[in-house]
Amino acid sequence: MLKYELSIVNYRTRIVSSLSDIGQTTWDTLIAAQAERNPFLSFAFLDALHESGCASPDSGWQPQYVTLWHGEQLEAALPLYVKSHSYGEYVFDWAWADAYRRSGLDYYPKLLSAIPFTPVAGSRLLARTADAAQKLIAALCALQKNNGISSTHILFPPESQAKALKDHGFLLRSGVQFHWINQDYRHFDDFLSTLERKKRKNIRAERRKVHEAGIRFRHVRGVAASEADWRFFKRCYDRTYAQHYSTPYLNLAFFRRIGETMPEHILLIIAEQDSKPIAASLVVHDENTLYGRYWGAIDDVPCLHFETAYYQPLEFCIDNGIRCFEGGAQGEHKMARGFLPQKTWSAHWLAHPAFADAVERFLKQEAGGIDAYIDELEERNPFKQA
């Protein structure tokens, strides 16, 4: 547990190790007041991660949320974890940890503000007012210094919050994701007509291969997902990790829980061949954005990944008027399917002055490379008008 003693004018501060100590109504009311919100910030999603054991002290994710209260009203909060490793973050600091180790210093435990296992941008400084946001940063700065923490990392905040953290001594880092934007398309062919001829031809060929293999799809809303659907999806999800010689982060209890507690945001896309399921993807969505999350298959069919994880969700976006499809971490191949590069942000504070200087020099050099990379990608824009 973090030690925490701080007096902030007009606010009572409190470290919270369980969202149940705040309550769903209180938490979700604060989230509703944020301009940059998404389903991953909801009580239902975060509580599912914690209560299923996926993001818990036993898994190296110890919740220590910083909260500011005015009377009984929650005025601000920062989702914060004490981390004993760097898995499940998608902003990589392994080299920094190794440099600490080689110097005889402890990099872990560190502080991390992020949605566990979820590289989705959104508000991290959850505050009702600008004053509360500033006081929340002040509370974080006092917390990290008073506990002998090696470093603090705020992952995927909006640019405005990243810059606010910079004003308090944080170093900024940029990255790249790929997002698809709905230009009021009426149907999938309407979208295809905006692409260069070669890109359009390749997508049609990929979709044709899947259709000719006899693959059909079921779109299962969270409220309709059965126990068999979730078990099959988990089987697919686990196989994806096994193919990459990795260990899955999420368990069946987590998937069941979000299906039960936030079904309006959940869509399972299940591919079937001869009436038997062979692949599945899970996407999370609200009225404006769809987030590509997890995919897997138990049989290998050419182009099935593209159809299940990209083209079927794209059709869902078009049919439901969803404005943006965030494709998840990395994936330059997404550009050929209409996704364009978007800059992401993270903010980092390191206690050791020499390491902070070294990381700052590295980040300046890396930022130039990221900007050049985005310029290069934009020259390969897949749309005809580009």
Side-chain angles (χ1 to χ4, degrees):
M1 293 287 291
L2 295 175
K3 295 179 293 182
Y4 190 72
E5 293 182 6
L6 181 65
S7 176
I8 296 181
V9 176
N10 297 328
Y11 299 102
R12 174 171 55 91
T13 61
R14 181 177 156 206
I15 295 291
V16 176
S17 59
S18 172
L19 279 177
S20 61
D21 292 340
I22 297 175
Q24 182 167 0
T25 299
T26 299
W27 180 264
D28 284 344
T29 299
L30 178 65
I31 299 305
Q34 308 307 306
E36 303 264 359
R37 61 182 182 271
N38 57 54
F40 304 99
L41 288 166
S42 69
F43 182 97
F45 190 84
L46 292 169
D47 190 58
L49 287 169
H50 301 160
E51 293 302 312
S52 66
C54 296
S56 66
D58 288 343
S59 65
W61 294 77
Q62 183 179 5
Q64 295 282 267
Y65 285 26
V66 183
T67 62
L68 270 60
W69 301 78
H70 181 70
E72 296 302 313
Q73 179 163 284
L74 180 61
E75 291 290 334
L78 175 73
L80 190 70
Y81 298 86
V82 177
K83 289 291 302 294
S84 59
H85 54 69
S86 291
Y87 292 102
E89 298 177 10
Y90 300 94
V91 176
F92 303 111
D93 63 350
W94 296 106
W96 305 354
D98 186 59
Y100 265 67
R101 180 189 60 79
R102 288 187 282 105
S103 298
L105 300 173
D106 292 327
Y107 190 71
Y108 305 107
K110 66 178 185 179
L111 295 181
L112 179 84
S113 179
I115 308 302
F117 322 117
T118 309
V120 168
S123 183
R124 299 294 176 259
L125 303 170
L126 307 170
R128 294 181 182 275
T129 65
D131 176 69
Q134 287 298 316
K135 297 293 175 55
L136 186 63
I137 298 175
L140 173 63
C141 291
L143 184 72
Q144 63 197 10
K145 292 177 182 177
N146 292 341
N147 283 271
I149 294 294
S150 74
S151 56
T152 302
H153 311 268
I154 316 294
L155 308 187
F156 302 105
E159 184 177 3
S160 60
Q161 292 188 4
K163 290 181 176 178
L165 289 161
K166 182 180 180 181
D167 292 340
H168 289 262
F170 281 74
L171 305 174
L172 299 193
R173 190 177 193 182
S174 56
V176 180
Q177 290 185 354
F178 296 86
H179 299 174
W180 176 89
I181 303 300
N182 187 349
Q183 302 292 343
D184 295 323
Y185 300 122
R186 295 163 296 172
H187 42 69
F188 195 85
D189 281 343
D190 193 17
F191 154 61
L192 285 184
S193 69
T194 66
L195 296 174
E196 293 178 342
R197 180 179 179 276
K198 184 177 180 180
K199 302 292 190 301
R200 185 168 63 247
K201 182 179 178 181
N202 287 345
I203 290 174
R204 283 178 172 151
E206 288 170 348
R207 303 201 79 184
R208 186 166 57 250
K209 288 179 182 178
V210 174
H211 181 78
E212 290 174 351
I215 309 295
R216 301 296 181 265
F217 291 88
R218 286 194 295 124
H219 287 199
V220 183
R221 302 285 189 138
V223 68
S226 67
E227 175 69 13
D229 291 331
W230 284 120
R231 286 186 175 277
F232 174 72
F233 169 76
K234 182 62 165 60
R235 182 183 172 193
C236 294
Y237 169 80
D238 288 349
R239 187 169 186 263
T240 296
Y241 277 84
Q243 289 174 326
H244 291 87
Y245 305 100
S246 185
T247 301
Y249 292 127
L250 303 173
N251 56 32
L252 183 59
F254 166 77
F255 291 119
R256 283 183 181 135
R257 196 175 182 101
I258 62 171
E260 293 170 357
T261 60
M262 48 186 293
E264 70 277 14
H265 296 297
I266 300 298
L267 176 68
L268 274 173
I269 299 172
I270 299 176
E272 297 181 336
Q273 188 176 47
D274 297 327
S275 299
K276 296 181 180 179
I278 64 167
S281 67
L282 171 65
V283 298
V284 177
H285 68 91
D286 55 25
E287 63 275 13
N288 296 312
T289 307
L290 182 141
Y291 306 88
R293 290 272 55 84
Y294 315 109
W295 134 271
I298 61 173
D299 285 335
D300 296 321
V301 175
C303 302
L304 183 56
H305 170 237
F306 299 133
E307 182 66 38
T308 311
Y310 296 109
Y311 304 145
Q312 289 291 315
L314 283 176
E315 287 196 336
F316 181 83
C317 287
I318 293 170
D319 291 344
N320 291 276
I322 294 174
R323 302 297 303 174
C324 179
F325 178 6
E326 294 192 13
Q330 305 169 341
E332 192 175 314
H333 63 277
K334 296 169 187 169
M335 281 196 68
R337 292 156 183 89
F339 291 74
L340 297 178
Q342 303 287 329
K343 184 177 285 190
T344 62
W345 296 95
S346 58
H348 308 267
W349 175 87
L350 293 94
H352 195 289
F355 276 98
D357 289 343
V359 168
E360 183 174 19
R361 291 194 299 271
F362 164 75
L363 292 180
K364 286 181 179 178
Q365 183 178 23
E366 184 187 55
I370 291 292
D371 289 341
Y373 176 55
I374 292 176
D375 289 342
E376 176 192 341
L377 290 173
E378 288 177 346
E379 292 176 359
R380 292 152 49 191
N381 190 303
F383 292 93
K384 288 190 298 186
Q385 60 266 33

